[in-house]
Amino acid sequence: MDIGEGNAGGSVGMRVATAGDWEREPHPSDSLRTFGAVVQALREHAGLGRAELAAQVQYSKHTVESVELGRRMPDKAFVERAEEALGNTGALRKAARYLTRGEAGLAAWFRRWARLEREAVSLCTYECRLVPGLLQSEAYARAVFEGTIPLRTDEELEAQLAARMERQTMMRERPTVPFSFIVEEHVFRRRFGGVEVMRELFDHVLERSAPRNVTLQVVPLEAGLHACLDGPVQILETPEGQRLGYSEGQENGRLISGPKEVSTLCQRYDTLRSQALNPKESRALLERLRGEL
């Protein structure tokens, strides 16, 4: 789901910040930390202190420190001046191509998968814990975040909520990309936030799963043992035709790229499709559950 994709704390290590702070000093990403470490190593190799490098690149000592600690996205001018000041090896120019901002509201372990999702030519999701993040209503998502441990500040909760809602836009913006969801029936029977929240959730899920490129199947309670009992899984196909998998647990997530492992996940998912209700039956079940509220 997305913070991680479930209710995992998407603000791991996230400090309280204003909207302006998010722009100036984004939540550190792996690429920012790595770039910062390269700058620091080259600076120390050149025998320069931070203040001395700051003078040469015409930025403040605080900016140099923030870049080296992975807290600040360096602009093009900083990269070029630092490159010249630190030996013109080309290392900083090349490393800068791969810089990505940390994404407030997304768990560190989920960010790479979230970026891959935006370019995927197909996406498959099996969930047995919560309604998938791409299908969650705002009120349902808020109820999930309010119940996470450790508790979040209001600012952190709003950042998580904004990230989840923003992520959903790709379904509307990419109407030719197939999105497949298989969700356990008990997930929809678990109450979050009261009757009105659940009614809104069912309406939201039915609306999101209505387009022709979206398929939703429910695994009924009476299905018994099935192919994906090892836990939630996502599978996507890249524009280059490569298939990748993603699995998530407590405070961690794993990108799966090994062809043999991914093939096994695909086989399990395809088998589960035949064990779940078909899309028409699934919608009928959701409408019935809504009516029972």
Side-chain angles (χ1 to χ4, degrees):
M1 296 172 63
D2 60 51
I3 296 298
E5 171 57 2
N7 65 340
S11 53
V12 175
M14 184 167 68
R15 65 186 178 87
V16 178
T18 65
D21 284 329
W22 293 129
E23 283 300 313
R24 284 198 306 277
E25 296 194 355
H27 189 59
S29 66
D30 289 342
S31 64
L32 282 172
R33 290 190 184 98
T34 301
F35 181 86
V38 172
V39 172
Q40 182 174 351
L42 290 175
R43 174 180 60 76
E44 292 174 349
H45 181 73
L48 298 174
R50 282 177 175 159
E52 293 172 299
L53 177 60
Q56 292 194 38
V57 298
Q58 302 172 44
Y59 282 82
S60 70
K61 179 183 175 182
H62 172 73
T63 296
V64 172
E65 179 182 14
S66 294
V67 169
E68 290 189 352
L69 294 178
R71 295 196 305 245
R72 188 182 185 101
M73 174 73 79
D75 59 22
K76 185 176 181 181
F78 181 97
V79 174
E80 289 299 321
R81 293 171 191 170
E83 181 71 70
E84 293 173 8
L86 298 175
N88 247 340
T89 64
L92 296 183
R93 291 191 186 97
K94 290 178 180 178
R97 299 173 190 169
Y98 302 100
L99 283 174
T100 58
R101 284 184 180 274
E103 296 168 81
L106 294 183
W109 60 80
F110 187 72
R111 292 176 193 141
R112 186 179 177 191
W113 183 260
R115 291 193 292 271
L116 289 167
E117 276 186 333
R118 297 186 193 116
E119 303 298 326
V121 297
S122 68
L123 179 66
C124 299
T125 301
Y126 163 67
E127 256 301 340
C128 57
R129 305 166 301 174
L130 297 167
V131 172
L134 289 174
L135 297 178
Q136 290 181 7
S137 66
E138 184 171 339
Y140 180 95
R142 183 179 293 277
V144 170
F145 296 145
E146 288 176 345
T148 59
I149 302 295
L151 296 176
R152 307 299 179 198
T153 66
D154 290 343
E155 291 85 355
E156 290 170 341
L157 191 150
E158 293 302 324
Q160 291 177 316
L161 188 61
R164 181 151 296 180
M165 295 299 102
E166 192 279 332
R167 181 171 166 243
Q168 291 186 5
T169 61
M170 70 176 177
M171 290 184 65
R172 295 191 296 271
E173 295 170 351
R174 309 188 71 199
T176 61
V177 173
F179 291 88
S180 170
F181 299 93
I182 303 178
V183 186
E184 298 282 353
E185 179 181 342
H186 70 255
V187 167
F188 291 108
R189 289 185 176 274
R190 179 176 291 127
R191 298 289 181 90
F192 275 88
V195 172
E196 289 306 314
V197 170
M198 292 305 297
R199 283 186 182 140
E200 179 186 339
L201 170 70
F202 283 120
D203 289 342
H204 188 80
V205 171
L206 289 167
E207 178 186 351
R208 286 284 181 268
S209 59
R212 289 182 294 113
N213 66 312
V214 181
T215 302
L216 172 63
Q217 294 180 258
V218 177
V219 182
L221 294 175
E222 61 270 20
L225 299 176
H226 61 69
C228 286
L229 289 177
D230 282 352
V233 66
Q234 295 186 70
I235 303 165
L236 62 73
E237 183 179 354
T238 69
E240 296 75 32
Q242 181 184 13
R243 287 190 172 184
L244 300 171
Y246 175 79
S247 66
E248 188 175 87
Q250 297 279 348
E251 295 296 310
N252 69 84
R254 185 167 74 100
L255 179 65
I256 303 167
S257 58
K260 186 175 180 180
E261 286 185 279
V262 175
S263 177
T264 297
L265 295 178
C266 290
Q267 291 176 46
R268 291 175 182 173
Y269 193 88
D270 289 342
T271 300
L272 185 58
R273 275 178 164 153
S274 67
Q275 296 170 314
L277 299 176
N278 66 41
K280 184 176 180 180
E281 293 168 336
S282 298
R283 291 184 67 83
L285 174 59
L286 294 186
E287 289 168 352
R288 186 173 79 247
L289 291 177
R290 187 193 186 287
E292 292 174 359
L293 291 172

